[in-house]
Amino acid sequence: MTRRGIVLLALLGVVLLAAPLFADRYVVSVLTTVLWFAYVGQAWNVMMGFSGLLSLGHALYVGLGAYASAALFVHFGIGPWLGLWVAMLAATLAGCFIGFLGFRFGVRGVHFALLTIAFAEVARIGFDHLQWFGGSGGFFIPVAGDAGNDLLNLRGSPTLFYYVILALVAGALALSRRLLHSRLGYQWLAVREEPEAAEAVGVDLFRARITAVAVSSALTALGGVFQAFYFNNLFPEQVFSMGRSIEIILPAIVGGIGTLIGPILGAFILTPLGELLTFLIEVSGLDLPGLKQLFYGVALVVIVVYRPDGVWPWLARRLGLVRQPGEDA
Amino acid sequence: MTFDYYLNIAVSGVLTGLVYGLAALGLSVIFGVVRVVNFAHGEMMVAGMYGAVLLSGFLGLDPILAAPIVAAVLFGFGWLLQRGLVNRFVERPEHMQFILLLGIATIILNAMLMLFGPDSRNVQVPYGFDTVELGPLLLDAVRLRAGAGAIVVAAALFAFFRFSRTGKAIRACADNPLGARVVGLNIDGLYALTFGIGAGVVGIAGALMTLLVDARPQLAPEYTLLSFIIVIVGGLGSLPGALFGGVLIGLSEAMAGFLLAPSLKSLFSYVVLIVVLLLRPQGLLGKRS
């Protein structure tokens, strides 16, 4: 990254840190949504962007993380900071199981993507029938009236949640950057670009791929824990839906798959755009359900036709934020 | 008595499965030749359903008679889609093709939601409540006609690929695109034709489906996934496999819906998919690559 890029990134960090001081509740809630999608987008990016494994079922890991931590809290009074380890463990086990089945039996490409969808759908239907998790009627975390901010149990004001998700995004960015420049990261890139060549120079394909799935699913589960305690309600039809899986992958696709900043930029483009559209539809008095999604569809087609590598690589080059083409952050 | 009961459910599951199989045939044809996964398949199928609903509402056409018209419209749509957009993605990485078709699927789905609303629409046919008695079997007339229609269209499709010059040219494209180009075949034209055929076939499946199910936009993603499951269970690129997979999934859905709970019937299809992916990733009738 050039000096200008670093300055801009630092400036963005400062603005985001100070945002709750001058922004109203609505802006903070939109920013929280933006950051949530930036976070899970980064988590998904570890699999698709770094190692070339197309997962279309990331809602599974969000849902497992959300349900595991919420159930521990409601049924046993175990707080989220302990629960998140169980949540990450559950999602990682599920991810490794899918990965093991897929990589062991040579399920590749489209087939692997379908396997991930299939497991997310199985979880959706399964959780609909699991009464311990509330079944299809939903699972609720009691809202603690005016107890004030309680970071230990993750109960409190929207500002508290805002800072938690901001920290998660920053943490995921740092982790991604570190991973990408590690031995493991270079192995992932090699496996993504040329699996056969990578194997020929001694990279253990199975190990490289399964660690990518493990890291990605564990990170995604944290997004689920956040979601459970932020919204306080979970419905299998929403949490595990295929629509949710697609929402998770959009920021990275729009921003730039395989880049560090891409998922964050993509979330900052998509969520405000969606809010703007909702606003415009309300103002114009048009009551057409589906108009917003229709617009998302058009945006997807336009982006993949004209900016197939995403917005970030192009923007970074245009604004002189990186030293050479292809360099990231 | 109980055996007759099971037999009835099995046969009606098979008949529904034939329509599923026809839809999956469309997907299989497109994937087998153009090598692009049509993620908008269920959306096209539901568009076919609405086509039949409209033709029945305004002209009083029976869905079976509406099917050829629906097929012609969807053929045109598929042809244009391949020519205009998908063709430039043929050489691109899989995930980009997926994103493109996901975008198209989202557009079709929400356009239908805006045009027709979220409520279900159905077609009225004079034989809607008739039953046909065959020995111990007591079958719905609508299901029998839908299944028969699916068999006729599938047979016509097999004959087209087996015997016609164009069908053989398309198969040549599927086997070896470079070789086909070398001997002078117009690959881009054949790809567009294939995408059109796939879209037309799934349109017919949609029209036939209105005999069994009410049309709603929300069905589209379900049918996309169902078609995928069927194609993979049957074997990618294998046309008989797609039909066979459809029958198998239709049968297992009917049995699961009866023996366990109706809400669990799609779970069963996913379990079948996972088992097949693990034990025979190339599909039941697919060839090992």
Side-chain angles (χ1 to χ4, degrees):
Chain A
M1 226 181 212
T2 57
R3 214 193 187 118
R4 194 191 298 184
I6 294 168
V7 168
L8 265 180
L9 195 64
L11 207 64
L12 177 72
V14 171
V15 169
L16 285 177
L17 269 176
L21 297 179
F22 52 81
D24 63 5
R25 280 180 77 105
Y26 169 71
V27 175
V28 171
S29 82
V30 172
L31 281 175
T32 306
T33 313
V34 168
L35 291 172
W36 190 81
F37 278 111
Y39 175 76
V40 288
Q42 285 177 306
W44 178 77
N45 200 30
V46 171
M47 252 177 94
M48 177 64 216
F50 299 169
S51 349
L53 299 167
L54 178 54
S55 162
L56 300 181
H58 254 52
L60 172 66
Y61 311 129
V62 174
L64 286 179
Y67 270 103
S69 59
L72 285 175
F73 186 68
V74 171
H75 289 310
F76 306 115
I78 297 173
W81 297 104
L82 275 175
L84 67 87
W85 299 102
V86 180
M88 282 164 70
L89 188 69
T92 310
L93 284 178
C96 288
F97 180 64
I98 298 171
F100 170 76
L101 293 180
F103 310 142
R104 189 84 183 67
F105 293 88
V107 180
R108 292 280 140 73
V110 187
H111 291 71
F112 179 73
L114 273 170
L115 195 65
T116 62
I117 297 180
F119 272 98
E121 287 291 300
V122 167
R124 178 177 66 82
I125 302 166
F127 272 82
D128 257 346
H129 293 83
L130 287 175
Q131 288 314 315
W132 201 66
F133 292 104
S136 55
F139 194 66
F140 302 92
I141 298 181
V143 180
D146 48 357
N149 285 343
D150 178 5
L151 187 60
L152 214 60
N153 284 319
L154 213 56
R155 310 275 71 197
S157 68
T159 313
L160 173 84
F161 283 98
Y162 172 79
Y163 281 115
V164 169
I165 193 70
L166 185 60
L168 278 178
V169 171
L173 180 63
L175 180 71
S176 297
R177 188 166 194 281
R178 215 194 144 112
L179 279 173
L180 208 51
H181 294 285
S182 71
R183 186 182 157 80
L184 185 63
Y186 291 120
Q187 290 190 347
W188 283 344
L189 295 183
V191 170
R192 179 189 76 184
E193 293 301 322
E194 282 291 344
E196 273 138 35
E199 196 167 28
V201 294
V203 174
D204 185 340
L205 288 186
F206 182 82
R207 235 188 95 209
R209 285 181 171 141
I210 212 98
T211 42
V213 178
V215 171
S216 179
S217 53
L219 287 177
T220 312
L222 281 186
V225 176
F226 178 86
Q227 190 197 359
F229 285 82
Y230 181 56
F231 290 111
N232 299 314
N233 62 65
L234 297 168
F235 297 93
E237 295 301 321
Q238 291 171 5
V239 177
F240 291 106
S241 75
M242 197 177 156
R244 175 48 59 88
S245 291
I246 289 168
E247 277 177 352
I248 291 171
I249 73 176
L250 283 181
I253 290 168
V254 170
I257 290 174
T259 66
L260 290 173
I261 308 289
I264 303 175
L265 179 68
F268 269 96
I269 295 172
L270 282 173
T271 310
L273 215 61
E275 290 294 320
L276 180 71
L277 240 93
T278 312
F279 173 73
L280 285 180
I281 291 168
E282 261 174 35
V283 167
S284 63
L286 278 171
D287 185 27
L288 280 174
L291 189 59
K292 195 169 145 186
Q293 270 71 25
L294 185 87
F295 177 79
Y296 275 137
V298 174
L300 263 188
V301 172
V302 169
I303 291 224
V304 81
V305 170
Y306 294 103
R307 290 270 163 273
D309 296 326
V311 176
W312 167 249
W314 168 80
L315 192 73
R317 223 171 28 247
R318 290 297 293 267
L319 296 182
L321 303 181
V322 288
R323 265 180 244 119
Q324 64 212 30
E327 191 201 336
D328 198 5
Chain B
M1 178 56 209
T2 40
F3 176 75
D4 289 359
Y5 218 79
Y6 284 108
L7 195 66
N8 266 302
I9 289 166
V11 173
S12 63
V14 167
L15 289 174
T16 312
L18 282 168
V19 184
Y20 290 164
L22 186 66
L25 263 183
L27 187 70
S28 192
V29 164
I30 296 172
F31 182 80
V33 179
V34 191
R35 295 271 147 207
V36 167
V37 174
N38 180 17
F39 251 89
H41 207 66
E43 281 72 10
M44 291 181 180
M45 181 162 175
V46 176
M49 291 179 84
Y50 276 114
V53 168
L54 288 181
L55 285 169
S56 139
F58 287 113
L59 302 176
L61 273 183
D62 186 284
I64 292 187
L65 296 175
I69 305 173
V70 168
V73 174
L74 271 158
F75 173 87
F77 175 75
W79 193 88
L80 282 176
L81 191 64
Q82 171 69 26
R83 275 270 141 147
L85 272 177
V86 179
N87 206 33
R88 51 175 122 172
F89 279 75
V90 169
E91 301 287 326
R92 293 223 203 152
E94 259 168 8
H95 70 268
M96 283 191 195
Q97 301 170 349
F98 160 71
I99 294 159
L100 175 74
L101 282 149
L102 186 70
I104 293 165
T106 314
I107 294 172
I108 302 177
L109 173 67
N110 290 289
M112 290 192 300
L113 194 64
M114 285 159 70
L115 284 174
F116 304 109
D119 302 330
S120 17
R121 306 272 194 105
N122 63 352
V123 290
Q124 303 289 340
V125 283
Y127 49 88
F129 298 103
D130 292 358
T131 46
V132 179
E133 220 177 321
L134 281 174
L137 290 174
L138 201 63
L139 297 170
D140 305 330
V142 282
R143 214 171 287 279
L144 210 54
R145 285 177 196 233
I151 291 181
V152 169
V153 177
L157 196 68
F158 286 131
F160 169 75
F161 281 115
R162 190 92 181 76
F163 301 114
S164 80
R165 258 183 88 78
T166 319
K168 283 181 190 165
I170 290 177
R171 278 196 295 148
C173 272
D175 283 347
N176 189 342
L178 186 65
R181 205 184 284 275
V182 168
V183 297
L185 292 175
N186 172 9
I187 302 270
D188 292 345
L190 288 171
Y191 278 180
L193 189 66
T194 306
F195 210 107
I197 291 173
V201 166
V202 78
I204 296 179
L208 294 175
M209 206 61 181
T210 55
L211 287 171
L212 310 176
V213 178
D214 296 347
R216 308 179 270 136
Q218 298 89 324
L219 285 174
E222 280 176 39
Y223 283 152
T224 302
L225 287 176
L226 191 70
S227 302
F228 278 125
I229 294 176
I230 292 170
V231 165
I232 292 194
V233 166
L236 270 176
S238 156
L239 296 188
L243 209 55
F244 177 66
V247 170
L248 192 69
I249 293 292
L251 186 63
S252 68
E253 270 196 358
M255 281 300 171
F258 174 64
L259 294 174
L260 304 167
S263 58
L264 280 172
K265 69 178 191 181
S266 49
L267 184 70
F268 211 74
S269 321
Y270 290 107
V271 173
V272 172
L273 170 75
I274 291 168
V275 170
V276 167
L277 273 178
L278 298 179
L279 299 181
R280 222 181 129 76
Q282 74 273 34
L284 295 176
L285 300 187
K287 287 186 247 14
R288 198 171 267 280
S289 56

